[in-house]
Amino acid sequence: MFVDSHCHLDFPDLAEREEAILAAMAQNRVGHALCVSVKMEDFPRVLALAERHPNLSASVGVHPDNDGVEEPDEARLLALADHPKVVAIGETGLDYYWQKDAPEWQRERFRTHIRAARQCGKPLIVHTRSAADDTLRLMREEGAGEAGGVMHCFTESREVAEAALDLGFYISFSGIVTFKNARELKAVAQYVPLDRLLIETDAPYLAPVPHRGKTNEPAWVVHVAEEIARLRNEPLERIESATTENFFRLFRHAQAH
Ligand SMILES: [Zn+2]
Ligand SMILES: [Zn+2]
């Protein structure tokens, strides 16, 4: 079985097709998916999805792109994380691509999430874009390695992957690794140790080849696994079992069904 380690099934395009999406997962042997929160306001819908389906789990957190939304403090994150279906804190991190002025509130929010993860012992889902140096610096300063976690939808250099691996983090690849022009990223996918590798869709975004440009869904995480198997010259079954074992080792509160 495959696991989609990162998707957004509460987003409108996907929420309307909940049953069809779950059926497609079953058909493609995608046995589990982690539904990731991006703001407090939407968290109840994310949690409800995980409560309706035994093979979905949830995270709690606020995405760095979301300005002008509810800003949780540590206590609030801890209260919401105290639920058997909430297996991670995030997604959190830094994004200076969409927030070009690199605002201080992003770093404050990230620090709050790292502190909450350390306290509750649930791993972090880290988003980083055009902000790798600050992301790693804050992870070190706040002791993120103690909580552990994943660099999701990884698009950075091999050096950044190395630094994250040194902190004990996992590296998750999305459909971007299937894109023809993603040469540097394909090399990173060959380099990451098998026991630190995760796969994801980040659905509804970033549909992998051969579905590029369409609304993505967890069933298509198989194409990410196929490309990584091809790049590493390994059987698909090996990537399948390694990424699934890695997922349940990292997100140890998630239940396999
Ligand atoms: Zn993200
Ligand atoms: Zn995401």
Side-chain angles (χ1 to χ4, degrees):
M1 106 183 205
F2 298 90
V3 175
D4 182 359
S5 73
H6 189 118
C7 61
H8 302 285
L9 297 190
D10 63 307
F11 285 18
D13 280 355
L14 297 176
E16 291 158 14
R17 298 168 42 228
E18 184 175 326
E19 293 310 322
I21 280 164
L22 269 290
M25 280 173 64
Q27 239 168 35
N28 285 270
R29 293 192 299 117
V30 178
H32 196 95
L34 173 46
C35 300
V36 175
S37 288
V38 296
K39 52 182 162 182
M40 290 293 111
E41 290 83 345
D42 295 347
F43 173 72
R45 296 197 303 139
V46 176
L47 183 60
L49 274 160
E51 283 177 325
R52 273 197 294 281
H53 301 283
N55 58 338
L56 298 181
S57 43
S59 73
V60 62
V62 184
H63 192 290
D65 286 347
N66 287 326
D67 194 3
V69 295
E70 184 192 331
E71 195 68 59
D73 60 13
E74 226 176 294
R76 174 115 168 98
L77 288 172
L78 287 171
L80 296 176
D82 186 20
H83 184 292
K85 288 247 106 177
V86 177
V87 302
I89 303 292
E91 57 182 296
T92 181
L94 302 175
D95 193 324
Y96 299 164
Y97 183 84
W98 293 110
Q99 306 274 349
K100 295 216 187 317
D101 56 339
E104 178 58 26
W105 57 259
Q106 270 196 5
R107 289 181 292 281
E108 275 310 306
R109 180 185 288 170
F110 188 25
R111 287 183 192 279
T112 301
H113 281 70
I114 298 172
R115 288 169 193 168
R118 285 183 58 175
Q119 269 211 48
C120 68
K122 292 185 176 178
L124 286 156
I125 300 167
V126 174
H127 169 112
T128 184
R129 190 166 183 197
S130 307
D133 289 348
D134 274 9
T135 300
L136 291 166
R137 177 173 62 83
L138 263 60
M139 286 168 69
R140 291 193 191 101
E141 284 178 12
E142 297 291 340
E146 201 177 291
V150 57
M151 308 301 282
H152 108 87
C153 192
F154 193 81
T155 52
E156 301 293 333
S157 66
R158 176 172 163 155
E159 288 68 35
V160 174
E162 223 166 307
L165 289 165
D166 282 347
L167 284 167
F169 270 61
Y170 290 66
I171 307 287
S172 179
F173 293 94
S174 70
I176 295 176
V177 79
T178 70
F179 299 172
K180 218 177 183 161
N181 58 357
R183 279 194 198 85
E184 200 193 351
L185 190 63
K186 288 178 195 284
V188 179
Q190 291 169 323
Y191 155 75
V192 172
L194 191 62
D195 63 356
R196 298 288 196 87
L197 203 62
L198 292 175
I199 50 173
E200 66 172 84
T201 59
D202 207 8
Y205 310 117
L206 300 171
V209 175
H211 304 292
R212 195 170 176 179
K214 297 189 193 140
T215 301
N216 200 1
E217 57 178 88
W220 295 346
V221 79
V222 176
H223 299 295
V224 177
E226 283 167 352
E227 176 64 6
I228 291 175
R230 190 188 69 80
L231 289 166
R232 298 171 69 103
N233 200 17
E234 302 207 53
L236 178 62
E237 297 69 36
R238 188 126 194 267
I239 301 301
E240 173 181 351
S241 60
T243 52
T244 295
E245 282 165 26
N246 293 345
F247 177 87
F248 288 108
R249 187 186 322 115
L250 174 62
F251 300 105
R252 60 190 183 283
H253 298 274
Q255 299 291 325
H257 277 268

